[in-house]
Amino acid sequence: MRKTSGRVTLPAESGQEQIIKHLIKHWGVDAIRDSDGTRLSQDLLDMGFPVYSTICLVRAEQSWPREHGEDLPQAFLMTPRQTFTGRPLKFELMNDWSTDKYRLNENDDPKLWWEVIDRTTGEVVPGDDWTYADGCVTLTRGQDYHEYTVNFLVMQIWDSTSMYNALTNKWTGEKVMSVDPFKPEVYEHLMHYFDGWLERHPNTSVVRLTTLAFMFMLIRDKRQRCCIRDWCGYCEAVTPAALREFEKVKGYKLRGEDFIQAGRYAHTNIPPTSRMLDWMDFIQQFALRFGKDLVDKIHAAGKKAAMFWGDHWIGAEPFDPKFASMGMDIIIGAAEDGVALRRVSDVPLNVVRELRFYPYFFPDVFKPGANPIEESRKNWMKIRRALLRMPVDRIGWGGYLSLAAKFPDFINHLAGITDEFRAFMDRTGGKEAWTAPIRVGVLNVWGSLRSWMVQTGPIEKFYSGREDVMEFIGTNIAECLAGLPVKVGFISFDEILKDASRLNDFDVIINEGFMGSAWSGGDIWKTPALVAAIRRWVHNGGGFIGIGHPSAAEHEGRVFQLADVLGVDLETGKEIQISEAVSQCEPRHFILADAQQGRSRISDHSYVFSRYEDAAILDNSGKHVHIAAKITSGGRGVYISSLPFDWTNARLLQRAIFWSARKEQEFTKCHSSNPATDLAWYPSAGVYCIVNNTNEQQTTDIYDHAGQWLRNLSLAPNEMVFVENN
Amino acid sequence: MRKTSGRVTLPAESGQEQIIKHLIKHWGVDAIRDSDGTRLSQDLLDMGFPVYSTICLVRAEQSWPREHGEDLPQAFLMTPRQTFTGRPLKFELMNDWSTDKYRLNENDDPKLWWEVIDRTTGEVVPGDDWTYADGCVTLTRGQDYHEYTVNFLVMQIWDSTSMYNALTNKWTGEKVMSVDPFKPEVYEHLMHYFDGWLERHPNTSVVRLTTLAFMFMLIRDKRQRCCIRDWCGYCEAVTPAALREFEKVKGYKLRGEDFIQAGRYAHTNIPPTSRMLDWMDFIQQFALRFGKDLVDKIHAAGKKAAMFWGDHWIGAEPFDPKFASMGMDIIIGAAEDGVALRRVSDVPLNVVRELRFYPYFFPDVFKPGANPIEESRKNWMKIRRALLRMPVDRIGWGGYLSLAAKFPDFINHLAGITDEFRAFMDRTGGKEAWTAPIRVGVLNVWGSLRSWMVQTGPIEKFYSGREDVMEFIGTNIAECLAGLPVKVGFISFDEILKDASRLNDFDVIINEGFMGSAWSGGDIWKTPALVAAIRRWVHNGGGFIGIGHPSAAEHEGRVFQLADVLGVDLETGKEIQISEAVSQCEPRHFILADAQQGRSRISDHSYVFSRYEDAAILDNSGKHVHIAAKITSGGRGVYISSLPFDWTNARLLQRAIFWSARKEQEFTKCHSSNPATDLAWYPSAGVYCIVNNTNEQQTTDIYDHAGQWLRNLSLAPNEMVFVENN
């Protein structure tokens, strides 16, 4: 293959000039960057490449937070429950939390901001019934044997990212503090500091904001353990200053209990209250203004603005229509799989899209005896599969190059990835691949705001993976979808309730998730207008695919409110006296054609049973239904109990989509028969791209865009080949 | 062993006189009975034994039901849901049900009794919006794409037991019809018929009522399949006559929707509404009056009255305090295990207690090549274990003796059981065994009314066992409890809410069941007074054992409302962002001492996690907790995820009870160390009885009533031995 160059950002590092010169050719690097903890020498800056310089403004300057302890980021914490037994009950507020990270906020009046709550009744305790002194709240009057908690405010005295690096990567530098940018004087200070920073970085071509204003939710307990974690959580943007402003803007006051929702930290997997949605909007407005001011300064300095979608991204939601106003030039996302790629490639903005691949060159992975190639190749197989459908512009890595340089095989392996990425972009023209005429809509509470986000349900909690890496176990339809030749969108329940004709934007709707979650939807399924709208749409020809606990809310003798469409329902112990319907088993159904050899699923016990005699049972363990298909009037429904990502399950979902869209006859258009392989067609470039997703040799039959057999193809492990479309 | 005699009831049958004469000696028979479908010849009646004669009065006489079609038992059925799509919607009411069993009730005004319900909203459709004609309800006005059902009344034209025998045992006789005894004229007719029956049975010593007035809930669909089944369900006592009388007595009118509760047939596993409790009381009052009138007649005829606790027992609840007024002399229960024995032995009445063992001598079991001994021995091992704790007076069998006689090994096997039963009664004096000073209370919605009833949760539905036999799979604490040396009672939530001091009747409370069920309790756990009362009682020294989903109701950030006592909570997908507590594993805990070799449990995935650092984790699969123990102030809590019955799990529950009652030091009193064996002490008889519950040889250490080691003992398979207490 002709050696190519470009589209690659290298993490440079002072002292690594020799290897960098080598990699510029070997990887075809055309831009260099610094990382958290690395600096670029003048030698590197003089090489003449575009330079990405990283800054997280809220933690860039350390004098302000040290001098203005009241301007730190804050958070509401909740004490553990304690039982009132007739005697005064003492809550040592900081007892259970990392005192390295948090300091009690005693500046703002506890009686105004804190709440003591009777968790047995849910009622707020009157302020007269408790006192505060010396780090302790004392409940003086309570109800015997009720449990109580205190919601209280803390200052964050150690930036979450700095703390993470200290704990995970053994960084020993000073504990970085971040500031809360909300107050006008802090805001002004940060802008002023940024002006100076821009002046001090004349060689910088791209300012890589990492990220903006507010950290996602990541709370550490007394053992420094990350005990609460929500990458999309808005609970660490809280300060009394922001809450006061919120009251002015929105006309009502939020309480601690809005962030600790009935005893639970409010997070992405729980359907949000309307108050939380107001709060999110409020924070978004602020983050957009903050971001726009920075971008304007960057542009004024003749540089480009990049946002690394990472730590402090709360409020800056690339899928929020408001986001475009910020004027960002480049969006960079960390990517370990196809979902992460689609999260960047599908952002509805006119920007340059760049992926930062894993593993990060950090000591937790690059230690003696490790095999970073394995992780990298596994990631690349998933990323490449999704890339075939929706490309990005650039790729890159981050961290300490000096660490990665000790693994020469890894360096060569990345040269292979960079060459392959460029070859793909050159041959296909970097255009979106052809898709079948099927528009799939993923339906949940969040809609497009949380495009390409994954939830895996309770199983996630019981999985012991690497805390810092999103390893998805359990049902992962997003990853399955990421590489399918269909159009994928996201839609919320509210959008349907406001305008049911929005359903007509889609041929197939997928509702997936655990009962009660924001993804499945929870009690919104008791809304007659919602159920009737979807049912009408199905009767008129729509396809509805339910995975896990679709349309689940106990109401009028049903758990799945669309059991009539799905054919099945969930047994929760309330109908064990009532037998299941007698249905036909159809193990040779179209949907299963590539899954005969068995498929992965989470458990043999789905507790889902057939409700309708005309539901076809495609896969089951005894009476536990795993896949069902039902034709309802004009439309079709499919139920799947769980769908972990693998090549077979992805193909199964593809077949379920085609079947429910009544497009079985188009299934072989632009098709590769072996599920371990994928084929994509680029009409304007006149080329098919076929990939082998596995580490083994594969053979496959490929079909052209008319659905005609083209030929049999043999692919080396991990191979990508192009076939001209004559 | 000296040949003994007595305490055994034989199912006699004309034509079997020879074998009967043999069995009288071989089994030590001292009473004979007829069965459904068998008759006693004069020869048999002349043998001079007490004779049990079976009668189910409501189906004894066939002319009345055939001449008075309006006096049949009825039931509310619900059609399947149908979707309204703008056109009139037709419900063919009988389409889905057995027309052999049911006939539509067109006598009583449909508009008065039936209901068309919008299942999407839960609202009742106005009578003007539907019409009835020719077996069809037509909905003329509805809401588009809402689902609708019709609740309607049917007459039962085939008695459930008769139908069961036709389907299962291929009986080919006439289809028996039963009558509803509620109307005064029917009642009078039945009493008159019964007078004649008594006159026609001069040789009968015991009238075996099988049972009284109303069948339990057992609905058959168009395939004759039993699709709804609830042995304790009150939904087949319904008739317009009874509903009219109910309105007079209770002051309000019930609707079909009281029996089809929000689209679900109301049954024992769902917490009852107060209206359903009123209905149960109303039916009980009737059944008691009916029963008392029969018993009075029986006594007047110089005979004894026995109630076989079987088919038509609804309303006649032996654990209902009202029951005693009926004056029954003998209670007979079918018994396949220890729970069934305790259901009879623990009835709070001064009666003779008799068990009818399985297998019933019916062709479904006694067919060529079958091995009825296996089922019988398995049952006897469980029954004997419970018998050791709480004896009954008599045992017996039922069905066709002619069938059993073809299995001579089985006949000999029963001789062994009868001898062993008599030996046990003779040596122990037939007294209750010594128990440890621990009073265990099983807490659920029903309390003592449903003593020794088992629910196994959703797993029950997905089990494919014999429809006619209660084979318990899944958690079965009742069977575990049935053979433990502790006092067992049952208590309802309402009893605690009325008088919290009722908790002091117990040392240990067990709450077991699936979330939302009548057994776990459902939303009643959101009641502060309930939670506070139990918490107070635990703090004051009580022991609380939770199994499955104890105290479960989602409220204020908890699922298990007594998580503080249990140490653990259930993850429902709403706290997956929140980590579990860091707890100590204690695999050598007192509770586990007999379970080192592993124990049976339903699933490796409990989805239960540690909430409290001071919860000790005794058994787990990764982060899934299976057993936890926690000390809370003065009391103790134990969590167990599932507890199928086996000898090891029974011993584990025993240890959990002793530990939570803080009586570990008394554990070896009257103890046999090998969990496959049991020891019971009879102080007044001065004897220990030790049994080997298995088909293998066992050795064990036995301990006396002071907890002192007595000796090592070797037991043959299934052996029972007695050791004098000198």
Side-chain angles (χ1 to χ4, degrees):
Chain A
M1 202 170 2
R2 183 178 58 84
K3 190 69 198 165
T4 57
S5 170
R7 298 187 180 276
V8 174
T9 306
L10 175 90
E13 184 185 352
S14 290
Q16 300 293 311
E17 288 75 6
Q18 274 316 106
I19 170 100
I20 288 166
K21 279 177 188 160
H22 167 61
L23 290 180
I24 284 166
K25 283 190 181 158
H26 195 35
W27 291 1
V29 169
D30 65 351
I32 61 172
R33 57 167 288 205
D34 60 4
S35 302
D36 255 6
T38 65
R39 305 187 127 261
L40 302 186
S41 62
Q42 196 57 43
D43 215 22
L44 289 171
L45 296 176
D46 290 346
M47 283 179 180
F49 284 109
V51 171
Y52 286 45
S53 296
T54 293
I55 180 169
C56 180
L57 189 56
V58 293
R59 65 168 178 254
E61 198 279 321
Q62 290 296 298
S63 62
W64 189 281
R66 281 161 216 284
E67 285 159 23
H68 302 84
E70 70 284 7
D71 293 339
L72 303 180
Q74 303 192 27
F76 274 106
L77 298 181
M78 180 177 73
T79 64
R81 289 153 189 249
Q82 292 196 61
T83 300
F84 187 81
T85 60
R87 291 182 300 275
L89 186 60
K90 206 169 163 183
F91 294 85
E92 299 204 25
L93 299 175
M94 291 308 296
N95 224 19
D96 295 270
W97 309 103
S98 167
T99 47
D100 286 333
K101 188 172 195 337
Y102 305 111
R103 190 183 66 217
L104 195 58
N105 175 354
E106 293 181 293
N107 304 359
D108 296 287
D109 181 6
K111 295 276 166 134
L112 202 57
W113 297 104
W114 303 1
E115 288 177 314
V116 181
I117 294 185
D118 179 338
R119 291 291 173 200
T120 306
T121 63
E123 288 159 8
V124 179
V125 173
D128 291 346
D129 291 354
W130 57 275
T131 59
Y132 172 71
D134 302 328
C136 286
V137 161
T138 304
L139 178 66
T140 49
R141 194 157 47 187
Q143 295 208 61
D144 281 1
Y145 295 96
H146 285 211
E147 288 187 316
Y148 292 86
T149 61
V150 184
N151 298 338
F152 61 100
L153 280 167
V154 289
M155 302 292 193
Q156 306 217 23
I157 56 176
W158 194 359
D159 172 75
S160 289
T161 309
S162 169
M163 187 171 184
Y164 170 82
N165 281 322
L167 294 172
T168 311
N169 296 310
K170 315 290 178 229
W171 284 11
T172 53
E174 82 173 335
K175 290 182 178 178
V176 174
M177 296 174 91
S178 47
V179 293
D180 176 75
F182 194 85
K183 283 191 204 162
E185 59 270 30
V186 183
Y187 197 98
E188 198 178 327
H189 162 73
L190 292 175
M191 290 298 155
H192 183 254
Y193 176 84
F194 191 59
D195 289 337
W197 186 92
L198 286 171
E199 277 169 29
R200 288 192 304 280
H201 288 76
N203 296 313
T204 294
S205 341
V206 176
V207 180
R208 191 175 181 278
L209 298 162
T210 175
T211 307
L212 291 171
F214 305 110
M215 178 67 190
F216 63 83
M217 205 173 160
L218 195 162
I219 294 176
R220 300 238 178 218
D221 66 12
K222 62 181 171 189
R223 300 168 191 271
Q224 313 287 35
R225 199 170 65 121
C226 166
C227 59
I228 299 163
R229 182 191 186 89
D230 178 14
W231 192 57
C232 303
Y234 275 65
C235 293
E236 298 203 11
V238 170
T239 55
L243 290 171
R244 277 193 206 96
E245 182 67 19
F246 176 94
E247 189 176 356
K248 275 188 215 154
V249 174
K250 300 285 185 186
Y252 67 95
K253 195 181 167 185
L254 291 178
R255 309 156 46 198
E257 195 68 357
D258 286 309
F259 303 96
I260 296 158
Q261 202 175 300
R264 271 192 183 118
Y265 291 87
H267 60 71
T268 314
N269 290 325
I270 309 181
T273 60
S274 63
R275 295 163 71 97
M276 178 52 76
L277 291 174
D278 277 352
W279 172 250
M280 288 172 65
D281 177 69
F282 174 79
I283 289 298
Q284 285 159 2
Q285 300 284 2
F286 176 85
L288 289 171
R289 178 164 63 89
F290 186 66
K292 182 162 188 349
D293 285 352
L294 298 183
V295 171
D296 287 350
K297 286 179 191 292
I298 292 165
H299 288 167
K303 304 176 194 304
K304 286 194 183 300
M307 178 178 120
F308 175 69
W309 196 343
D311 317 334
H312 283 72
W313 77 287
I314 293 304
E317 305 251 13
F319 285 95
D320 176 2
K322 299 191 287 290
F323 185 91
S325 67
M326 220 192 270
M328 207 64 76
D329 304 297
I330 304 171
I331 296 284
I332 307 168
E336 71 273 36
D337 56 18
V339 165
L341 175 134
R342 294 297 293 260
R343 207 178 289 141
V344 174
S345 64
D346 286 32
V347 158
L349 296 168
N350 182 21
V351 291
V352 171
R353 296 144 204 279
E354 179 168 332
L355 299 185
R356 201 221 64 216
F357 281 4
Y358 283 96
Y360 211 65
F361 305 162
F362 260 5
D364 57 337
V365 172
F366 289 83
K367 54 194 173 196
N371 179 12
I373 294 178
E374 195 178 315
E375 178 177 343
S376 174
R377 184 184 287 132
K378 202 172 144 197
N379 291 352
W380 176 236
M381 287 300 97
K382 292 195 263 184
I383 292 166
R384 190 180 66 179
R385 172 176 172 267
L387 182 73
L388 253 56
R389 303 299 160 196
M390 194 72 88
V392 293
D393 303 292
R394 300 180 58 79
I395 60 175
W397 285 265
Y400 299 100
L401 189 60
S402 52
L403 279 173
K406 291 174 189 158
F407 293 75
D409 288 349
F410 179 73
I411 296 291
N412 289 335
H413 158 77
L414 294 201
I417 290 182
T418 53
D419 281 342
E420 198 166 273
F421 174 67
R422 280 186 296 265
F424 170 79
M425 295 299 281
D426 292 349
R427 292 296 297 272
T428 65
K431 296 287 201 308
E432 182 184 346
W434 171 90
T435 67
I438 301 177
R439 300 157 302 162
V440 174
V442 178
L443 171 64
N444 58 44
V445 165
W446 297 110
S448 60
L449 185 75
R450 295 273 171 273
S451 294
W452 299 106
M453 290 293 172
V454 173
Q455 70 105 17
T456 60
I459 204 166
E460 189 175 328
K461 180 180 223 140
F462 295 88
Y463 180 69
S464 297
R466 252 169 71 190
E467 187 193 85
D468 59 315
V469 174
M470 296 187 197
E471 287 181 277
F472 293 119
I473 36 71
T475 289
N476 189 346
I477 56 150
E479 188 64 27
C480 293
L481 273 177
L484 297 188
V486 294
K487 295 207 189 304
V488 180
F490 296 82
I491 184 168
S492 73
F493 298 108
D494 278 348
E495 287 171 292
I496 294 175
L497 285 169
K498 271 181 202 134
D499 176 9
S501 76
R502 282 296 314 281
L503 283 164
N504 300 328
D505 295 346
F506 301 102
D507 302 292
V508 176
I509 290 284
I510 299 181
N511 177 234
E512 180 261 325
F514 209 77
M515 176 153 56
S517 69
W519 312 100
S520 169
D523 281 347
I524 201 155
W525 283 109
K526 295 180 186 170
T527 313
L530 173 70
V531 173
I534 297 177
R535 191 175 282 134
R536 177 196 298 269
W537 172 84
V538 171
H539 277 246
N540 290 333
F544 186 85
I545 300 178
I547 301 172
H549 295 171
S551 73
E554 294 215 30
H555 175 59
E556 287 294 306
R558 283 284 188 272
V559 179
F560 295 169
Q561 291 303 312
L562 289 170
D564 59 313
V565 169
L566 298 162
V568 298
D569 204 348
L570 181 71
E571 174 59 69
T572 61
K574 304 205 182 72
E575 301 202 38
I576 48 180
Q577 307 301 0
I578 296 158
S579 300
E580 75 287 357
V582 178
S583 302
Q584 288 297 313
C585 282
E586 293 193 18
R588 296 178 168 281
H589 196 279
F590 171 83
I591 292 174
L592 295 182
D594 295 311
Q596 286 98 335
Q597 71 277 38
R599 54 179 214 91
S600 73
R601 56 191 182 201
I602 293 164
S603 158
D604 271 353
H605 288 175
S606 66
Y607 291 104
V608 166
F609 63 98
S610 180
R611 272 272 191 208
Y612 288 84
E613 298 208 340
D614 58 345
I617 306 305
L618 279 52
D619 183 29
N620 59 296
S621 297
K623 294 179 178 180
H624 293 271
V625 174
H626 290 291
I627 307 180
K630 184 171 182 289
I631 297 175
T632 300
S633 183
R636 295 180 175 185
V638 176
Y639 175 76
I640 303 174
S641 63
S642 65
L643 205 67
F645 170 71
D646 63 27
W647 317 117
T648 304
N649 282 350
R651 189 59 61 93
L652 190 143
L653 180 61
Q654 183 181 347
R655 285 186 168 273
I657 289 168
F658 275 70
W659 184 82
S660 59
R662 294 170 292 125
K663 297 263 200 257
E664 302 100 305
Q665 71 290 356
E666 303 199 22
F667 191 71
T668 57
K669 286 186 182 170
C670 302
H671 181 64
S672 177
S673 64
N674 181 338
T677 68
D678 276 293
L679 180 151
W681 179 41
Y682 303 89
S684 59
V687 71
Y688 299 103
C689 178
I690 304 104
V691 291
N692 175 356
N693 299 321
T694 71
N695 298 338
E696 293 86 44
Q697 175 94 12
Q698 299 286 351
T699 59
T700 185
D701 287 309
I702 62 172
Y703 296 82
D704 70 9
H705 54 82
Q708 298 302 311
W709 184 80
L710 215 52
R711 63 170 153 122
N712 187 271
L713 200 65
S714 185
L715 293 148
N718 309 121
E719 194 181 8
M720 174 170 78
V721 299
F722 296 93
V723 172
E724 299 292 332
N725 158 31
N726 299 312
Chain B
M1 199 162 10
R2 183 178 56 86
K3 191 69 198 166
T4 58
S5 170
R7 297 188 180 277
V8 173
T9 306
L10 175 90
E13 184 184 352
S14 291
Q16 300 293 311
E17 287 76 6
Q18 273 316 105
I19 170 101
I20 288 166
K21 280 176 188 159
H22 167 63
L23 291 181
I24 283 166
K25 285 190 182 160
H26 195 35
W27 290 1
V29 169
D30 65 351
I32 60 172
R33 57 167 289 207
D34 59 3
S35 302
D36 254 7
T38 65
R39 307 188 128 260
L40 302 186
S41 62
Q42 196 55 43
D43 214 23
L44 290 170
L45 296 175
D46 289 346
M47 282 179 182
F49 285 109
V51 170
Y52 285 46
S53 296
T54 293
I55 180 168
C56 180
L57 188 55
V58 293
R59 63 167 179 255
E61 198 279 320
Q62 291 296 296
S63 63
W64 189 281
R66 280 161 217 282
E67 285 158 23
H68 302 84
E70 70 285 7
D71 292 339
L72 303 180
Q74 302 193 29
F76 274 107
L77 298 181
M78 179 176 73
T79 64
R81 290 153 189 249
Q82 292 196 61
T83 298
F84 187 82
T85 59
R87 289 181 300 274
L89 186 59
K90 205 168 164 184
F91 293 86
E92 299 205 23
L93 299 175
M94 291 308 298
N95 224 18
D96 295 86
W97 309 103
S98 168
T99 46
D100 286 333
K101 188 172 194 337
Y102 305 112
R103 190 184 65 217
L104 194 58
N105 175 353
E106 294 180 293
N107 305 357
D108 296 286
D109 181 6
K111 293 278 165 129
L112 200 58
W113 297 104
W114 303 0
E115 288 177 314
V116 180
I117 295 186
D118 180 338
R119 292 291 172 199
T120 305
T121 63
E123 289 159 7
V124 179
V125 173
D128 290 348
D129 292 355
W130 58 276
T131 58
Y132 172 72
D134 301 329
C136 286
V137 162
T138 304
L139 178 66
T140 49
R141 196 156 47 185
Q143 295 207 60
D144 281 359
Y145 296 96
H146 285 213
E147 287 187 316
Y148 292 85
T149 62
V150 184
N151 299 338
F152 60 101
L153 280 168
V154 289
M155 301 292 191
Q156 306 217 22
I157 55 175
W158 194 359
D159 172 74
S160 290
T161 309
S162 168
M163 188 172 183
Y164 170 82
N165 281 324
L167 295 173
T168 313
N169 296 310
K170 316 287 178 232
W171 284 11
T172 52
E174 81 172 335
K175 290 182 180 178
V176 174
M177 295 174 92
S178 45
V179 294
D180 176 75
F182 194 84
K183 283 191 205 161
E185 59 271 30
V186 183
Y187 197 97
E188 198 179 326
H189 163 74
L190 293 175
M191 289 300 155
H192 181 255
Y193 176 84
F194 191 58
D195 289 337
W197 187 90
L198 285 171
E199 276 168 32
R200 289 192 304 278
H201 287 75
N203 296 313
T204 294
S205 340
V206 177
V207 179
R208 189 175 183 277
L209 298 162
T210 174
T211 309
L212 290 172
F214 305 110
M215 178 66 190
F216 63 84
M217 204 172 160
L218 196 162
I219 294 177
R220 301 239 177 217
D221 66 13
K222 62 180 171 191
R223 300 168 191 274
Q224 313 286 36
R225 199 170 65 122
C226 166
C227 59
I228 299 162
R229 181 191 187 89
D230 179 13
W231 194 58
C232 304
Y234 275 64
C235 294
E236 299 203 8
V238 169
T239 56
L243 290 170
R244 278 193 205 95
E245 181 67 18
F246 177 93
E247 189 177 355
K248 275 189 216 152
V249 174
K250 299 285 185 185
Y252 66 95
K253 193 181 168 187
L254 291 178
R255 309 156 45 198
E257 196 67 359
D258 287 307
F259 303 95
I260 296 159
Q261 203 175 299
R264 271 192 182 116
Y265 291 86
H267 61 71
T268 315
N269 291 323
I270 308 181
T273 60
S274 63
R275 294 162 71 97
M276 179 50 77
L277 291 174
D278 277 351
W279 172 250
M280 289 172 65
D281 177 68
F282 173 78
I283 289 299
Q284 285 159 3
Q285 300 285 3
F286 175 85
L288 290 171
R289 178 163 65 87
F290 185 65
K292 183 161 185 350
D293 284 349
L294 299 183
V295 171
D296 287 350
K297 285 179 191 293
I298 292 165
H299 287 167
K303 305 175 193 301
K304 287 195 182 298
M307 177 178 121
F308 175 69
W309 196 344
D311 316 333
H312 283 72
W313 76 287
I314 293 305
E317 305 251 12
F319 284 96
D320 176 1
K322 298 193 287 289
F323 185 90
S325 67
M326 221 192 271
M328 208 64 77
D329 304 296
I330 305 172
I331 297 283
I332 307 168
E336 71 272 39
D337 57 17
V339 164
L341 176 135
R342 294 298 292 260
R343 207 178 289 142
V344 174
S345 65
D346 286 31
V347 159
L349 296 168
N350 183 22
V351 291
V352 171
R353 294 144 205 280
E354 179 168 331
L355 299 184
R356 201 221 64 216
F357 282 4
Y358 284 96
Y360 211 66
F361 304 162
F362 261 5
D364 57 338
V365 173
F366 288 84
K367 54 193 172 195
N371 179 12
I373 295 178
E374 195 179 314
E375 178 177 343
S376 174
R377 183 184 287 131
K378 203 172 143 197
N379 291 352
W380 175 236
M381 287 299 97
K382 293 195 262 184
I383 293 166
R384 191 180 67 177
R385 173 177 171 266
L387 182 73
L388 253 57
R389 302 300 159 197
M390 193 72 86
V392 293
D393 303 292
R394 302 181 55 80
I395 61 176
W397 285 265
Y400 298 99
L401 189 59
S402 51
L403 279 175
K406 292 176 190 157
F407 293 77
D409 289 350
F410 179 71
I411 296 292
N412 290 333
H413 159 77
L414 295 201
I417 290 182
T418 53
D419 281 341
E420 198 166 270
F421 175 66
R422 281 187 295 264
F424 170 79
M425 295 299 282
D426 292 349
R427 291 296 296 270
T428 64
K431 295 285 199 311
E432 184 183 345
W434 171 90
T435 67
I438 302 177
R439 299 158 302 162
V440 174
V442 177
L443 172 64
N444 58 45
V445 165
W446 297 110
S448 60
L449 185 74
R450 294 273 172 274
S451 295
W452 299 105
M453 291 290 173
V454 173
Q455 69 105 16
T456 60
I459 205 167
E460 189 175 328
K461 182 180 221 140
F462 295 90
Y463 180 69
S464 297
R466 250 170 70 190
E467 188 193 86
D468 59 317
V469 174
M470 298 190 194
E471 287 181 277
F472 293 120
I473 35 71
T475 289
N476 189 347
I477 57 149
E479 188 64 26
C480 293
L481 274 176
L484 297 188
V486 294
K487 295 206 188 304
V488 180
F490 297 82
I491 184 168
S492 73
F493 298 108
D494 278 349
E495 286 172 292
I496 296 175
L497 285 168
K498 271 181 202 133
D499 176 9
S501 77
R502 282 296 313 278
L503 284 164
N504 300 328
D505 295 345
F506 301 102
D507 303 291
V508 175
I509 290 283
I510 300 181
N511 177 235
E512 181 261 325
F514 209 78
M515 175 152 58
S517 69
W519 312 100
S520 169
D523 281 348
I524 201 157
W525 283 109
K526 295 181 186 170
T527 314
L530 174 71
V531 175
I534 297 178
R535 191 176 280 134
R536 177 196 299 269
W537 171 84
V538 170
H539 277 246
N540 291 333
F544 187 85
I545 300 178
I547 301 172
H549 295 171
S551 73
E554 294 216 32
H555 175 60
E556 287 295 305
R558 283 284 189 271
V559 179
F560 295 169
Q561 291 305 311
L562 288 170
D564 59 313
V565 169
L566 298 163
V568 298
D569 204 350
L570 180 71
E571 174 60 67
T572 59
K574 305 208 180 69
E575 300 203 37
I576 48 178
Q577 307 300 358
I578 295 158
S579 299
E580 75 287 357
V582 178
S583 303
Q584 287 298 313
C585 281
E586 292 192 20
R588 296 177 168 282
H589 195 280
F590 171 82
I591 291 175
L592 294 183
D594 294 312
Q596 286 98 337
Q597 71 277 37
R599 54 180 215 91
S600 74
R601 57 192 181 201
I602 292 165
S603 158
D604 271 352
H605 288 173
S606 66
Y607 291 104
V608 166
F609 63 98
S610 180
R611 271 271 190 209
Y612 288 84
E613 297 208 340
D614 58 345
I617 306 304
L618 279 51
D619 183 29
N620 59 295
S621 297
K623 295 179 178 180
H624 293 271
V625 174
H626 289 290
I627 307 180
K630 184 170 182 289
I631 297 176
T632 299
S633 184
R636 295 181 175 184
V638 176
Y639 175 76
I640 303 174
S641 63
S642 66
L643 205 68
F645 170 71
D646 63 28
W647 317 115
T648 305
N649 281 351
R651 189 59 63 93
L652 190 142
L653 180 61
Q654 183 181 349
R655 286 185 167 273
I657 289 169
F658 275 70
W659 184 81
S660 59
R662 294 169 294 123
K663 299 264 199 253
E664 303 99 305
Q665 72 289 353
E666 304 199 24
F667 190 71
T668 58
K669 286 186 183 170
C670 303
H671 181 66
S672 178
S673 63
N674 181 339
T677 69
D678 277 291
L679 180 151
W681 180 41
Y682 304 88
S684 58
V687 72
Y688 299 103
C689 177
I690 304 104
V691 291
N692 175 357
N693 299 322
T694 70
N695 299 336
E696 292 87 44
Q697 174 96 11
Q698 299 285 350
T699 60
T700 185
D701 287 309
I702 61 171
Y703 296 82
D704 70 9
H705 54 81
Q708 298 301 310
W709 184 80
L710 215 53
R711 62 170 153 122
N712 188 273
L713 200 65
S714 186
L715 292 150
N718 310 121
E719 194 182 7
M720 174 170 78
V721 300
F722 296 95
V723 172
E724 298 292 332
N725 157 34
N726 300 313

